[in-house]
Amino acid sequence: MKENNKIPPATVKRLPLYLQCLEQLDDQTIGISSKKLAEIAKVNDAQVRRDLSYLGTLGTRGVGYDISTLRNQLQLELGLVEGWSAVIVGVGNLGSALAHYGGFQERGFGVVGLFDDDPKKINKQIAGLVVKPIADIKDVCDKYNVAIGIIATPGNVAQVIADQLIDCGVKSILNFAPVLLKNIPDIQIRSVDLSQELQILSYYLDRPVLKAVK
Amino acid sequence: MKENNKIPPATVKRLPLYLQCLEQLDDQTIGISSKKLAEIAKVNDAQVRRDLSYLGTLGTRGVGYDISTLRNQLQLELGLVEGWSAVIVGVGNLGSALAHYGGFQERGFGVVGLFDDDPKKINKQIAGLVVKPIADIKDVCDKYNVAIGIIATPGNVAQVIADQLIDCGVKSILNFAPVLLKNIPDIQIRSVDLSQELQILSYYLDRPVLKAVK
DNA sequence: GAGTGTGAAAACATTCACAGCT
DNA sequence: AGCTGTGAATGTTTTCACACTC
């Protein structure tokens, strides 16, 4: 075991998946083998063992992994215990969906602000928060020490919003607008483009000879 | 050049990205080099050349790529010219966001049906379509030969809906519900879990020593 | 000169297979 | 006997570097 080594990106991407698998188990279950977990996560069992081994020596030979230890370690490693605060900019349908989405709070992310510049939306209450004008972002970010900005605006304003968020001290951006944001040193940006996902599906749709995806 | 060879998955994932980059260019521009495209897409320029070389010999040495040829070829390869039909199941905020999302139609996907089982939503009109009860899926799928099902329901019903969609002849599923769908032979499933994206961001948030992401 | 297409090298990721612990 | 943790083997992806074309 090689403690405190960087975890490969491919593994990082799977850690939330493992966490989700554990959640899906019934409460009785106390332990799980790499084989079982692999089956649920639909990956190879050696993969599971290697991935988890980056988090330390968590399993017991001949037995398997203790679920609660595993959960704790995954949460710790992913930084879900820090209780990061996030703001959502743009409260159209997508922004509202994100605001209502329970999965965030559940995973330790606190949404502490909703922003929009549409007068019809300002002061509306959504998921227990009052929508504020974008000019107020700085105040909220300072007050709650916001680390994550979620952009759910139309594409044409996304870059401006991103710059503003970074100005406010935000360190990570999750972008749902269908544009490419400029890279900024020290700032993590992840983009989720809904239509790109469909396009990838589409590629695999036209070729009947693709059974062997496994 | 190695015509009609399968394109590696890693490349397929980037093709929609390249397409988006081209869209972002102003209409004057007629040609583009791998270096320029790489810069916009934020990947290595050799990567761009290798990726595009899978689509055939599209560039001109010493010159670069013709944008319209490139666009056409990307669309062709991704199967965006087939005009696949899709249905959206679940018209809460997320489903509505997807229904309104222009990017789908723009990329050649026609959303031909919206479904929900909430009586308050049935018969509502959203983005020009009338919301129908889930029982009606089969009719619509038969009528429009629907290839893609988009699931935007709560997690607890997602698997049932998925099974139903597959029964209706749908060949690909894009799942936004935060659950793991069972694998089914010959059916492509892609899941987008909004909270997983945040968790990945979170991992890179706690470690100040991660500048060198490049 | 400028910029593609691609062998070859390097880096990264997955899987096998088994020694070693419980 | 059962299951982890991990070297070694294999497979995939990225990057370098340059011959080749315009």
Side-chain angles (χ1 to χ4, degrees), chain A residues 33-65:
Chain A
S33 66
S34 61
K35 187 134 167 282
K36 191 84 202 305
L37 184 47
E39 196 184 308
I40 303 174
K42 288 179 297 215
V43 299
N44 176 291
D45 61 326
Q47 178 102 263
V48 170
R49 292 198 296 279
R50 172 126 6 228
D51 284 344
L52 297 182
S53 79
Y54 289 114
L55 313 189
T57 307
L58 300 176
T60 311
R61 287 172 195 229
V63 180
Y65 299 88

Side-chain angles (χ1 to χ4, degrees), chain B residues 74-145:
Chain B
L74 283 165
Q75 289 172 343
L76 190 68
E77 198 64 50
L78 283 167
L80 304 183
V81 293
E82 271 84 352
W84 301 112
S85 294
V87 293
I88 297 175
V89 187
V91 286
N93 279 306
L94 181 56
S96 301
L98 294 167
H100 282 113
Y101 183 49
F104 292 163
Q105 330 282 332
E106 219 171 84
R107 292 300 190 305
F109 302 103
V111 175
V112 298
L114 304 178
F115 300 92
D116 206 303
D117 262 358
D118 178 348
K120 286 195 289 275
K121 288 174 189 149
I122 291 172
N123 288 323
K124 264 181 71 177
Q125 190 152 341
I126 295 178
L129 287 167
V130 176
V131 177
K132 296 192 181 148
I134 292 179
D136 292 7
I137 293 186
K138 184 108 181 83
D139 287 348
V140 174
C141 286
D142 287 351
K143 187 165 165 200
Y144 294 99
N145 191 23

Side-chain angles (χ1 to χ4, degrees), chain B residues 1 33-34 49-50 59 61-62 65:
Chain B
M1 190 242 337
S33 66
S34 60
R49 292 198 297 279
R50 168 104 39 205
R61 290 172 194 227
Y65 299 88

Side-chain angles (χ1 to χ4, degrees), chain B residues 160-175:
Chain B
V160 177
I161 299 292
D163 293 341
Q164 230 169 320
L165 284 168
I166 293 165
D167 259 5
C168 295
V170 159
K171 288 281 171 268
S172 287
I173 289 180
L174 184 54
N175 173 46

Side-chain angles (χ1 to χ4, degrees), chain A:
Chain A
M1 190 243 335
K2 278 292 196 27
E3 265 310 353
N4 99 348
N5 246 356
K6 259 255 315 319
I7 299 181
T11 294
V12 172
K13 282 214 222 135
R14 278 185 300 266
L15 296 184
L17 172 64
Y18 297 144
L19 202 47
Q20 185 186 46
C21 293
L22 297 183
E23 238 103 277
Q24 223 154 282
L25 257 36
D26 74 79
D27 297 345
Q28 316 293 18
T29 337
I30 192 138
I32 193 168
S33 66
S34 61
K35 187 134 167 282
K36 191 84 202 305
L37 184 47
E39 196 184 308
I40 303 174
K42 288 179 297 215
V43 299
N44 176 291
D45 61 326
Q47 178 102 263
V48 170
R49 292 198 296 279
R50 172 126 6 228
D51 284 344
L52 297 182
S53 79
Y54 289 114
L55 313 189
T57 307
L58 300 176
T60 311
R61 287 172 195 229
V63 180
Y65 299 88
D66 174 69
I67 290 180
S68 94
T69 309
L70 197 49
R71 263 237 300 273
N72 276 260
Q73 204 52 230
L74 283 166
Q75 289 173 344
L76 191 67
E77 198 64 51
L78 284 167
L80 304 183
V81 294
E82 271 85 350
W84 303 112
S85 294
V87 294
I88 298 175
V89 187
V91 286
N93 279 306
L94 180 56
S96 301
L98 294 168
H100 281 113
Y101 182 50
F104 292 163
Q105 329 282 332
E106 219 172 85
R107 292 300 189 305
F109 302 103
V111 175
V112 298
L114 303 179
F115 301 91
D116 207 303
D117 262 357
D118 178 349
K120 286 195 290 272
K121 288 175 189 150
I122 292 171
N123 289 322
K124 263 181 72 176
Q125 190 153 341
I126 295 179
L129 287 167
V130 175
V131 177
K132 297 192 180 146
I134 292 179
D136 292 7
I137 292 186
K138 184 107 181 85
D139 287 348
V140 172
C141 287
D142 287 350
K143 186 164 164 201
Y144 294 100
N145 191 24
V146 169
I148 301 170
I150 302 176
I151 298 179
T153 64
N156 55 331
V157 295
Q159 182 64 60
V160 177
I161 298 291
D163 293 340
Q164 230 169 320
L165 284 168
I166 293 165
D167 259 4
C168 296
V170 159
K171 288 281 171 269
S172 287
I173 289 180
L174 185 54
N175 172 45
F176 289 93
V179 289
L180 292 162
L181 298 179
K182 288 200 311 269
N183 251 352
I184 309 224
D186 296 338
I187 305 290
Q188 282 287 323
I189 299 182
R190 284 189 77 81
S191 283
V192 179
D193 185 328
L194 307 177
S195 102
Q196 287 198 11
E197 300 295 331
L198 261 196
Q199 292 173 59
I200 297 170
L201 268 183
S202 172
Y203 173 83
Y204 292 108
L205 210 43
D206 30 356
R207 298 139 229 277
V209 199
L210 210 94
K211 281 141 203 211
V213 179
K214 234 206 46 233

Side-chain angles (χ1 to χ4, degrees), chain B:
Chain B
M1 190 242 337
K2 279 292 195 29
E3 264 311 352
N4 100 347
N5 246 356
K6 259 252 318 318
I7 299 181
T11 294
V12 172
K13 282 214 222 135
R14 279 185 300 267
L15 297 184
L17 171 64
Y18 297 143
L19 202 46
Q20 186 186 44
C21 293
L22 298 183
E23 238 103 277
Q24 224 155 282
L25 258 35
D26 74 79
D27 297 346
Q28 316 294 17
T29 338
I30 193 137
I32 192 168
S33 66
S34 60
K35 188 135 167 281
K36 190 82 202 304
L37 184 47
E39 196 184 308
I40 303 174
K42 289 178 296 215
V43 298
N44 176 292
D45 62 324
Q47 177 102 265
V48 169
R49 292 198 297 279
R50 168 104 39 205
D51 283 344
L52 296 182
S53 79
Y54 289 115
L55 312 190
T57 307
L58 300 176
T60 311
R61 290 172 194 227
V63 179
Y65 299 88
D66 174 69
I67 290 180
S68 94
T69 310
L70 198 49
R71 262 237 302 272
N72 276 265
Q73 204 52 230
L74 283 165
Q75 289 172 343
L76 190 68
E77 198 64 50
L78 283 167
L80 304 183
V81 293
E82 271 84 352
W84 301 112
S85 294
V87 293
I88 297 175
V89 187
V91 286
N93 279 306
L94 181 56
S96 301
L98 294 167
H100 282 113
Y101 183 49
F104 292 163
Q105 330 282 332
E106 219 171 84
R107 292 300 190 305
F109 302 103
V111 175
V112 298
L114 304 178
F115 300 92
D116 206 303
D117 262 358
D118 178 348
K120 286 195 289 275
K121 288 174 189 149
I122 291 172
N123 288 323
K124 264 181 71 177
Q125 190 152 341
I126 295 178
L129 287 167
V130 176
V131 177
K132 296 192 181 148
I134 292 179
D136 292 7
I137 293 186
K138 184 108 181 83
D139 287 348
V140 174
C141 286
D142 287 351
K143 187 165 165 200
Y144 294 99
N145 191 23
V146 169
I148 301 170
I150 302 175
I151 298 180
T153 64
N156 55 332
V157 296
Q159 182 65 59
V160 177
I161 299 292
D163 293 341
Q164 230 169 320
L165 284 168
I166 293 165
D167 259 5
C168 295
V170 159
K171 288 281 171 268
S172 287
I173 289 180
L174 184 54
N175 173 46
F176 288 93
V179 289
L180 293 162
L181 298 180
K182 287 200 310 269
N183 252 352
I184 308 223
D186 296 338
I187 305 290
Q188 282 287 323
I189 298 182
R190 285 188 76 81
S191 282
V192 178
D193 185 328
L194 308 177
S195 104
Q196 287 198 10
E197 300 294 332
L198 261 197
Q199 293 174 58
I200 297 170
L201 267 184
S202 173
Y203 172 83
Y204 292 107
L205 210 44
D206 31 356
R207 295 138 234 277
V209 199
L210 210 94
K211 283 141 202 210
V213 179
K214 243 254 322 288

